[in-house]
Amino acid sequence: MKLNRFGSAAAVLSVAALALTACGSDNPTAAAGSESASSSAASGVTGTLTGIGASSQNSAMEAWITGFKAENADANVQYSPDGSGAGREAFLAGGAQFAGSDAYLKPEEAEKAKEVCGPEGAFNIPAYVSPIAIAFNLEGVEEINMDAATIAKVFKKEITKWNDEAIASQNPDVELPDTAITVVHRNDESGTTENFVEYLKAAAGDVWDYDVSGDWPSDIQSENAKGTSGVVSTTTSTDGAITYADFSAVGKLSTVNVKVGEEYTKISAEAAAKALETATPVKDAAENDLALDLERDTTEAGTYPIVLVSYHIFCSSYKDQATVDLVKAFGNYVISDAGQKTAQDSAGNAPISAAISEKAAKSIDGITVAK
Amino acid sequence: MSVMTSNKHSATPTPPSRKRNSLSKGKLPRWAVPATAAGAIIIGAALSTLTGFSVATFAIYSAVLFVIAATVLTSAVEGKRQGRNAMWTYLIYGSFLLALIPLASVLYTVLEKGLPGMSSHFLFTSMNGVTGAVDNQTVADGTPVLGGAYHALMGTLLITLWATVISVPVGMLTAIYLVEYGKNGPLSKAITFFVDVMTGIPSIVAGLFAAAFFGLILGPNARMGIVAAVALSVLMIPTVVRSTEEMLKIVPNELREAAYALGVRRWRTILKVVIPTAISGIASGVTLAIARVIGETAPILVTAGIASQINTNVFANWMSTLPTFIYYQILTPTSPTNIDPSVQRAWAAALLLILMVMALNLGARLIASLFAPKKGR
Amino acid sequence: MTTNALKSKSSTSGQAGDKIFSGTALAAGVLILVTLFAVAIFLLIQALPTFVADPADISGGEGFFAYIWPIVIGTVIAAAIALLIATPVGIGVALFISHFAPRKVAGPLGYVIDLLAAIPSVIYGAWGYMVLAPALVPIFEWLAANLGFIPIFAGPASQTGKTMFTAGIVLAVMVLPIITSLSREIFLQTPKLHEEAALALGATRWEMIAMAVIPFARPGIISAVMLGLGRALGETMAVALVLSTGNLIPSLIKSGNQTIAAEIALNFPEAFGLRLAELIAAGLVLFMITLIVNMIARGIIARHKEFSGAN
């Protein structure tokens, strides 16, 4: 009896849901009648491509998907920003056709990839480059110069005041207040933390004696927050706070100029892109694999070494032609000038260089149908 | 304290000038409580000024002073028992006021931040094609924010509906078994125990479990609405069982026995007598259970993925729900450089979610009142 | 009730109905057991690598126990703060709605409270770090200055207010509606006769509540608190957003401490291999904590069974 009533309530709800379905629009940006996109489906690529991975490239990914769908109306790409680890895990289990990851496949993972991808395994393509800013909130101070050792000491809480001699000596022109430094770090495991501490370890190894990992060293007890938006908002609301975050997200915060070689480099997309050029390919990598080891302790002027490179991980072979076409089309779009430009407009990241783009295109074109 | 007691004591004995009838004798005059309150507020203000004024200390001091003074006053005039009655009454009123502060603050925050984003555009469009560039453009031009939560609203409605359809019958039947049939047998003890254990499943584990379970059946890439509904059911069932069980237990045995005495079958007794008596509580419990899962983020993500376009089929393709929408709009804004549009969408979606639950709640109450027997209260 | 004296056509069909109904009820119960069994198997399989791995490979490098116990304590602290605040206040609010507030006010109030249970935890988390944490900073400073000799209030107080104490309060606000909503329903079910008898004997309102309502409702209240506890223990996002996490420290007003659920939520996205197994094992531990707490609660309820109508 009662269950019937619940049933009828459910029925009413579902009818209401159906009724609502009729009035939803899937085209929120249609102000100027830009329906023309659907006519350009000449590419002949169809199907749905599934990717899982890093949340760092989520904003760029939304732009890529939108741009890609405008060119290929019959194709769809879905991307779930579960996290790099979850993405690689799902990719290796066959749950996604590609993964987005802040770190390239580790050797044991590359080995495992052969199970799902065939004997050629998988390969990494750098797709998203984002400089990591050291951002601070200090009233009246716009820019500060620091060398790697000073940065490491500040984040290790060995330097506790903004007018400490170590900072003041590098900033003769800046009037530094006697404010305490509040270090804010990520409390979730993240690629941003990993790249930042990797820089500290490489450039100031004698000060920074912790292991490199995506977790902040638990010996340093300080304020923290979840996610890039969390550390930025905590820093913005606390005078004297300093943190590290993706450059595109730092908002009104001031940034630290990092000493590279003899000069202090101001953070910029160009300086970050330069870091990618000085990077070396990972040892023993397959020919089509573009995984990079960044040279964090570079001395080349004008390079900004604290950079996050997020990869797209593809299989060398997929089971049918349709999937191969789809993966190739999407992979090529992402690394193309148009794709990188779209992402930059949306996410504020740095573009990959032409040289890398060329190599990546070659690797992607090498994807085949599994035998 | 003692000073105050004696003060009040001397101030309040029945004034000789005024005649009072025997009924109100030994009772506090009407003005006594407001007067005590006023006194407590003044002294509280003074005390908190001494220790550096802040609204919090002011309120705490005043409240504590008032409860003590009013209690002492009442016990002095009306007797110890009335004094205790007064103390507990004020404490209960106080706890209510205390609870209102954070709850009102949360509601206010959601309303304040959510209302500006509420528009028909927001309600009836999806996020399909809205990128950071679009957001940057709207911020630069100062035009209204584009993109809405329609797809997430649909996802929430459908996934929650399916979760409810799965878990309410299972949960209620289990509770009925426990209370009406199990009679403390080993099986019923085991079920009770393991239902308790189920309340401790972290939500992400439920999500992973559902994903793994469907992965075994349908292959590794099995994310869709129904998987999420199953994950939510795992979280929902214990709440439904537990609250239904409690409500069924307090249905007086006399009612059951009366029905049996009239020759009514057990199952009809349960359906016609026991459940209608407890229905208001059950409905409340089911609403709570829905409320517990409707805001879940993590299990949805690993089971239903995330989508920016409308999908009303729970058996195919990815879906967004309002919580995943809110979560990702806050944590990975569509445009990292201009987060305001994303934040606005997130709060508007939060408001929408609350409104939705409100409607659900109203529905549950309606059902309950349709079935509930007429009561004295 | 099982006399065969009256055997009519309708009662034979009723008998079939009885069998079907009790059978379905039994099946539902068994389904729950099977599901839980499956979840347990799943958890054990996924967590297994943690227990067989070399202790040096576990986060922290000192084995699983050293990794897990600080966050177990943290979880217990957070839940304890939440319940210490929410239980008395929640019951007070429930009593207010059921026995003190005028009827016209009581209905809508109950409704609003139910509603608050539905606000997603992300929102509570956002509210916690945007509104509550800054508001608590002066109080923490006062506590550190005046009660700093007590270890749990040892200073210096956090400058952002993102502490265990704040997280506990946020959790309290989150579980309050659960406790209130269920207790209220139970209070309303107190037999009218008991209440009126107490009042007729000259009891004050409080005495009536203490003698008639509370004893009747005690098992229900415990159940309500346990459900609240379940949410407090398993809550992830609110804690993850509000707490400045860190190592286990006694002070509640400094940044530090961590809970199991938040640990899982914060690290799960980037976890793989052994780390993933560790987090699942942490989930298993959370499971067991809930189990123990629930066993204790069931024990208490069992001792007060005489008040329950169905037994």
Side-chain angles (χ1 to χ4, degrees):
Chain A
M1 233 355 241
K2 201 180 144 285
L3 294 177
N4 284 346
R5 293 290 181 109
F6 262 116
S8 63
V12 169
L13 262 180
S14 47
V15 169
L18 280 177
L20 267 170
T21 318
C23 46
S25 154
D26 233 349
N27 199 358
T29 51
S34 54
E35 298 286 334
S36 55
S38 54
S39 59
S40 62
S43 61
V45 181
T46 55
T48 297
L49 188 63
T50 299
I52 299 175
S55 57
S56 57
Q57 37 173 304
N58 195 28
S59 175
M61 187 60 80
E62 281 167 5
W64 285 324
I65 291 174
T66 305
F68 180 69
K69 282 203 291 200
E71 286 179 15
N72 306 278
D74 295 335
N76 191 14
V77 180
Q78 50 189 13
Y79 183 78
S80 183
D82 297 8
S84 306
R88 296 202 302 274
E89 192 92 19
F91 174 74
L92 294 177
Q97 279 117 12
F98 74 98
S101 173
D102 293 345
Y104 48 80
L105 285 177
K106 296 178 172 50
E108 68 265 27
E109 289 176 311
E111 199 57 42
K112 207 179 158 200
K114 291 177 181 164
E115 288 169 25
V116 279
C117 293
E120 298 290 312
F123 60 94
N124 310 282
I125 298 289
Y128 175 85
V129 180
S130 174
I132 300 169
I134 301 170
F136 63 93
N137 172 11
L138 190 59
E139 207 167 325
V141 182
E142 294 290 318
E143 255 179 44
I144 271 187
N145 297 331
M146 285 191 196
D147 57 20
T150 314
I151 296 170
K153 279 181 190 157
V154 165
F155 278 91
K156 212 180 164 186
K157 294 177 86 176
E158 281 177 7
I159 297 176
T160 55
K161 291 278 183 193
W162 279 104
N163 59 358
D164 190 282
E165 180 50 33
I167 303 176
S169 64
Q170 297 178 59
N171 298 280
D173 307 331
V174 183
E175 193 155 323
L176 292 161
D178 181 36
T179 313
I181 300 180
T182 306
V183 172
V184 180
H185 65 83
R186 294 276 293 267
N187 65 3
D188 50 337
E189 192 170 341
S190 75
T192 313
T193 304
E194 186 158 4
N195 279 282
F196 179 63
V197 298
E198 199 176 295
Y199 160 75
L200 292 180
K201 181 89 179 166
D206 44 340
V207 181
W208 194 262
D209 43 13
Y210 304 102
D211 289 337
V212 172
S213 101
D215 266 332
W216 188 250
S218 60
D219 292 344
I220 308 173
Q221 179 62 58
S222 66
E223 295 293 338
N224 50 47
K226 179 168 165 52
T228 299
S229 54
V231 290
V232 169
S233 78
T234 304
T235 308
T236 310
S237 60
T238 313
D239 189 35
I242 187 164
T243 191
Y244 54 91
D246 291 285
F247 181 44
S248 56
V250 296
K252 292 192 281 281
L253 295 173
S254 318
T255 54
V256 171
N257 300 334
V258 176
K259 189 171 189 183
V260 177
E262 288 311 306
E263 286 170 43
Y264 292 95
T265 313
K266 190 171 168 54
I267 186 167
S268 70
E270 292 71 41
K274 220 168 163 189
L276 229 61
E277 282 161 28
T278 60
T280 50
V282 171
K283 255 198 312 188
D284 306 331
E287 203 185 329
N288 59 357
D289 194 347
L290 295 186
L292 295 171
D293 275 331
L294 292 167
E295 203 183 329
R296 305 287 185 184
D297 50 354
T298 179
T299 50
E300 197 165 315
T303 309
Y304 188 84
I306 318 172
V307 172
L308 168 91
V309 178
S310 201
Y311 296 90
H312 285 177
I313 301 171
F314 296 106
C315 275
S316 302
S317 62
Y318 289 90
K319 64 178 187 319
D320 55 46
Q321 189 62 44
T323 315
V324 171
D325 289 345
L326 187 58
V327 171
K328 277 185 181 173
F330 182 69
N332 274 320
Y333 172 74
V334 166
I335 53 159
S336 70
D337 284 348
Q340 288 291 317
K341 176 81 176 54
T342 316
Q344 207 179 348
D345 287 346
S346 281
N349 58 325
I352 57 172
S353 67
I356 291 176
S357 170
E358 207 171 290
K359 271 195 252 171
K362 220 157 132 201
S363 299
I364 291 169
D365 284 335
I367 297 175
T368 56
V369 179
K371 274 142 211 146
Chain B
M1 252 290 295
S2 62
V3 178
M4 200 187 313
T5 318
S6 57
N7 256 345
K8 302 284 184 190
H9 209 41
S10 60
T12 39
T14 342
S17 58
R18 236 161 105 199
K19 282 266 186 293
R20 305 176 98 200
N21 65 32
S22 62
L23 273 179
S24 62
K25 205 171 173 184
K27 285 229 164 204
L28 278 175
R30 268 166 183 261
W31 50 264
V33 171
T36 321
I41 289 171
I42 293 168
I43 302 175
L47 272 179
S48 80
T49 318
L50 278 181
T51 53
F53 185 83
S54 80
V55 180
T57 51
F58 166 56
I60 293 170
Y61 287 144
S62 306
V64 171
L65 276 175
F66 172 74
V67 171
I68 293 173
T71 306
V72 170
L73 193 62
T74 318
S75 24
V77 178
E78 299 182 359
K80 225 177 177 176
R81 287 175 49 217
Q82 295 294 341
R84 279 178 43 155
N85 185 41
M87 179 181 86
W88 283 104
T89 306
Y90 296 134
L91 282 180
I92 286 169
Y93 275 83
S95 68
F96 176 71
L97 291 178
L98 186 67
L100 273 189
I101 298 169
L103 299 179
S105 170
V106 171
L107 277 186
Y108 174 77
T109 312
V110 174
L111 277 176
E112 185 204 10
K113 297 185 187 262
L115 274 181
M118 271 290 172
S119 65
S120 65
H121 178 81
F122 177 78
L123 283 176
F124 292 113
T125 53
S126 68
M127 284 293 285
N128 195 17
V130 177
T131 62
V134 174
D135 273 0
N136 291 341
Q137 194 62 40
T138 56
V139 169
D141 299 349
T143 48
V145 174
L146 291 175
Y150 180 81
H151 60 304
L153 178 66
M154 281 294 111
T156 299
L157 272 178
L158 290 168
I159 290 175
T160 315
L161 180 74
W162 277 98
T164 314
V165 166
I166 297 169
S167 51
V168 167
V170 173
M172 273 183 56
L173 283 168
T174 307
I176 289 171
Y177 177 78
L178 291 178
V179 177
E180 306 290 336
Y181 291 103
K183 288 295 170 212
N184 268 324
L187 183 65
S188 110
K189 275 199 177 133
I191 294 175
T192 311
F193 183 76
F194 285 111
V195 164
D196 287 353
V197 177
M198 261 175 111
T199 60
I201 299 181
S203 56
I204 178 82
V205 169
L208 290 174
F209 165 72
F213 178 70
F214 276 86
L216 277 181
I217 303 175
L218 301 171
N221 187 12
R223 291 188 183 197
M224 54 181 126
I226 193 75
V227 183
V230 168
L232 293 188
S233 299
V234 172
L235 296 168
M236 224 175 133
I237 286 174
T239 320
V240 175
V241 175
R242 207 78 207 244
S243 54
T244 311
E245 192 192 344
E246 285 310 324
M247 293 306 148
L248 292 180
K249 267 189 190 166
I250 56 176
V251 172
N253 263 351
E254 290 85 344
L255 286 182
R256 297 188 180 87
E257 280 154 12
Y260 297 151
L262 291 172
V264 181
R265 282 274 164 200
R266 198 165 197 180
W267 67 283
R268 290 189 62 85
T269 308
I270 293 169
L271 283 184
K272 288 290 197 181
V273 177
V274 179
I275 289 181
T277 312
I279 189 72
S280 140
I282 295 175
S284 209
V286 169
T287 321
L288 273 181
I290 294 179
R292 177 172 172 359
V293 299
I294 205 168
E296 284 293 351
T297 314
I300 301 283
L301 205 66
V302 294
T303 50
I306 188 157
S308 60
Q309 69 253 59
I310 300 166
N311 172 19
T312 51
N313 183 358
V314 289
F315 296 105
N317 289 332
W318 291 8
M319 262 183 168
S320 273
T321 64
L322 285 170
T324 50
F325 178 74
I326 297 168
Y327 184 74
Y328 278 106
Q329 285 293 309
I330 288 182
L331 280 182
T332 57
T334 307
S335 163
T337 22
N338 289 306
I339 62 170
D340 291 344
S342 285
V343 170
Q344 186 188 326
R345 282 191 289 258
W347 284 103
L351 182 58
L352 187 59
L353 186 55
I354 292 176
L355 289 177
M356 234 177 84
V357 178
M358 210 151 125
L360 271 178
N361 204 325
L362 213 64
R365 266 160 200 267
L366 214 66
I367 295 175
S369 69
L370 278 179
F371 285 92
K374 296 279 168 285
K375 274 194 286 184
R377 204 190 302 275
Chain C
M1 65 196 115
T2 47
T3 48
N4 298 329
L6 299 164
K7 208 162 198 178
S8 69
K9 215 172 111 192
S10 76
S11 86
T12 25
S13 76
Q15 212 160 30
D18 241 358
K19 281 224 175 81
I20 295 170
F21 193 71
S22 65
T24 337
L26 180 66
V30 171
L31 178 69
I32 289 184
L33 285 185
V34 171
T35 311
L36 200 83
F37 185 68
V39 173
I41 298 274
F42 166 77
L43 275 179
L44 277 174
I45 292 174
Q46 298 274 315
L48 201 62
T50 320
F51 303 112
V52 296
D54 182 5
D57 293 339
I58 306 282
S59 301
E62 283 159 44
F64 183 66
F65 181 75
Y67 162 72
I68 199 75
W69 81 265
I71 58 176
V72 168
I73 306 283
T75 309
V76 174
I77 295 174
I81 298 175
L83 283 194
L84 278 178
I85 299 172
T87 308
V89 176
I91 294 174
V93 175
L95 277 177
F96 177 81
I97 294 173
S98 68
H99 286 85
F100 286 85
R103 254 205 92 181
K104 270 190 187 150
V105 188
L109 276 181
Y111 179 66
V112 170
I113 300 272
D114 277 4
L115 200 65
L116 287 160
I119 297 180
S121 45
V122 181
I123 297 303
Y124 277 113
W127 171 79
Y129 86 83
M130 284 165 47
V131 180
L132 182 67
L136 287 175
V137 171
I139 298 178
F140 289 161
E141 278 172 352
W142 184 88
L143 284 173
N146 294 296
L147 296 171
F149 57 89
I150 308 175
I152 59 169
F153 295 132
S158 160
Q159 285 308 301
T160 55
K162 296 176 67 176
T163 68
M164 200 62 174
F165 200 69
T166 316
I169 295 178
V170 172
L171 286 180
V173 176
M174 293 178 71
V175 302
L176 185 80
I178 296 179
I179 296 181
T180 301
S181 186
L182 283 178
S183 322
R184 183 196 66 220
E185 287 300 332
I186 311 257
F187 291 151
L188 285 175
Q189 299 288 345
T190 314
K192 208 68 188 130
L193 277 176
H194 293 195
E195 295 180 5
E196 280 160 6
L199 290 175
L201 289 171
T204 60
R205 186 149 54 170
W206 167 248
E207 284 164 343
M208 180 269 282
I209 289 170
M211 289 188 297
V213 179
I214 302 276
F216 173 81
R218 190 176 284 135
I221 295 175
I222 294 171
S223 255
V225 172
M226 284 304 118
L227 273 183
L229 180 67
R231 179 152 190 195
L233 285 174
E235 181 47 51
T236 51
M237 280 313 156
V239 178
L241 287 173
V242 168
L243 186 63
S244 243
T245 56
N247 297 332
L248 182 68
I249 49 163
S251 176
L252 301 178
I253 58 170
K254 285 200 280 194
S255 59
N257 292 326
Q258 172 69 301
T259 72
I260 294 180
E263 171 86 3
I264 297 175
L266 287 173
N267 294 299
F268 179 75
E270 299 297 318
F272 60 92
L274 183 59
R275 184 86 179 107
L276 191 63
E278 258 173 60
L279 293 176
I280 302 244
L284 201 61
V285 172
L286 181 58
F287 220 81
M288 288 189 300
I289 297 176
T290 327
L291 201 105
I292 294 165
V293 174
N294 274 301
M295 277 163 71
I296 297 170
R298 281 278 157 186
I300 300 172
I301 295 171
R303 274 197 278 142
H304 295 278
K305 259 209 171 119
E306 64 269 28
F307 291 106
S308 173
N311 287 292

